[in-house]
Amino acid sequence: MTDLVARLRGDVEGRRFIGDIGFGVRMPNGTLINLFGDTVVTPTGNPAYPGALTQQAYVMRNSAIVMLPTGGIRSALTNARLLAKRSLVDVPPADELPGGQNFYGPLSAVVTKDLATGTDLVLLFLAQMYDRNLKQLGSSDPTWDFAQVSSRLATYSVAADGSLKLVSLTRTPMAEVAPGAVGWGAGAFATSDYLFVFGSRKLPDPYVFGSDYYLARVPLKSRTTASAWRFWTGSGWSTDKTRAAVVIPGSVGVESTIAVRQDTASKGFTFVLKKDGFIGTTIRRERAASLTAPWRLDITPIGDVVKFT
């Protein structure tokens, strides 16, 4: 299966990228930016791209592939960054926890504009992950011992050729070094004025595979200021994040991230989920008349996941 995926993915400027946890956003000019978590990078040996011939295989912890309206496909990382075996965005040394490996995993993203300049922006939420085993026990150890300890909001400007430039990397209201806290950035939706942000928290019950979901909002112009965030209590917006109400209970079976879309006709909101995560097989749809309205599962499932042969 891995070989099949590799051959289907093809050659991207002399390299092959095979990633997981994928989702994408569409820019106003039609450019698609596809974001991934762990991504295997290998050289293809294509002589048309001499800069990639010395590429060493490695795993980047987050990546982005840009698909242009002209049909061109490129990595969002520069050749120098790829040769240095870096990710799209790395945890700054000042934010790293000691004794393990720190990395970012992509959660959700929205497209908006810089209100001052009109520049297209991608707002990307990242989970800061911490893994002890990769450092203490070695990368060959089969046991995974990682957890989300915080989250960040990365703001990227996007040029016409699809180039991404990191404008800012800021904290969300998720407490620092807080495994088990609400992970803000699990889903997002932007209007002309506000950034609405979902947070998720995995329930402690090992037999419940869904996460509780919460909702916050912040003025777009103040998105990098944690004190400007407001949290939905079920009846209004509060400055106190501990008053945030569950808007989607874990019993519904929603995983730790969602991609919310607005229906152009009804103006309602929707997202698709695979109930109960990796153990589930049923594809369902949730709907709400507004982001603060009750969410309801469609009675009829969309379908079931079947084994690929």
Side-chain angles (χ1 to χ4, degrees), residues 23-298:
F23 59 88
V25 293
R26 184 185 296 272
M27 306 305 297
N29 69 350
T31 295
L32 294 174
I33 300 175
N34 297 297
L35 298 140
F36 299 93
D38 287 348
T39 303
V40 178
V41 183
T42 56
T44 63
N46 188 337
Y49 300 97
L53 293 177
T54 58
Q55 179 69 58
Q56 294 181 340
Y58 76 106
V59 177
M60 61 171 71
R61 305 318 297 257
N62 51 76
S63 70
I65 297 294
V66 179
M67 303 176 67
L68 300 170
T70 58
I73 303 177
R74 54 171 295 183
S75 170
L77 282 77
T78 64
N79 186 63
R81 196 168 180 87
L82 289 163
L83 291 176
K85 300 197 290 188
R86 304 285 295 278
S87 296
L88 175 67
V89 55
D90 295 312
V91 178
D95 290 343
E96 290 185 351
L97 302 182
Q101 187 174 87
N102 296 261
F103 58 94
Y104 289 133
L107 293 171
S108 63
V110 295
V111 174
T112 186
K113 284 186 177 293
D114 185 302
L115 299 178
T117 66
T119 304
D120 290 329
L121 300 176
V122 171
L123 309 183
L124 171 62
F125 283 97
L126 300 161
Q128 181 172 340
M129 309 299 293
Y130 176 68
D131 193 322
R132 290 186 295 271
N133 276 336
L134 290 178
K135 183 73 174 282
Q136 294 181 347
L137 303 180
S139 60
S140 63
D141 188 89
T143 305
W144 290 354
D145 184 20
F146 58 82
Q148 180 179 355
V149 294
S150 190
S151 63
R152 296 290 186 271
L153 171 58
T155 297
Y156 284 94
S157 62
V158 185
D161 65 355
S163 300
L164 301 182
K165 179 182 179 181
L166 183 63
V167 176
S168 64
L169 182 65
T170 54
R171 290 176 167 84
T172 73
M174 183 179 180
E176 294 296 292
V177 195
V182 175
W184 293 105
F189 185 85
T191 66
S192 58
D193 299 315
Y194 281 95
L195 175 62
F196 290 84
V197 186
F198 288 90
S200 67
R201 176 161 54 192
K202 180 71 173 66
L203 298 177
D205 187 336
Y207 298 103
V208 176
F209 294 92
S211 297
D212 282 342
Y213 271 75
Y214 305 81
L215 179 66
R217 76 175 186 183
V218 61
L220 274 172
K221 62 182 180 182
S222 305
R223 64 185 181 275
T224 61
T225 304
S227 61
W229 288 50
R230 299 294 181 264
F231 306 91
W232 181 248
T233 65
S235 59
W237 299 98
S238 173
T239 59
D240 184 358
K241 66 183 179 182
T242 65
R243 295 188 59 202
V246 174
V247 295
I248 305 171
S251 58
V252 173
V254 184
E255 289 192 278
S256 56
T257 61
I258 56 176
V260 177
R261 299 291 182 264
Q262 186 173 31
D263 185 270
T264 55
S266 70
K267 303 302 181 183
F269 295 85
T270 181
F271 67 88
V272 173
L273 66 136
K274 182 162 74 74
K275 182 174 171 56
D276 297 327
F278 69 94
I279 70 163
T281 59
T282 303
I283 307 299
R284 305 292 299 267
R285 183 184 298 278
E286 282 260 356
R287 300 179 191 270
S290 71
L291 290 173
T292 57
W295 288 85
R296 307 293 186 195
L297 270 177
D298 280 1

Side-chain angles (χ1 to χ4, degrees), residues 1 4 8 305-309:
M1 182 64 184
L4 172 63
L8 290 175
V305 175
V306 296
K307 185 178 181 181
F308 177 84
T309 56

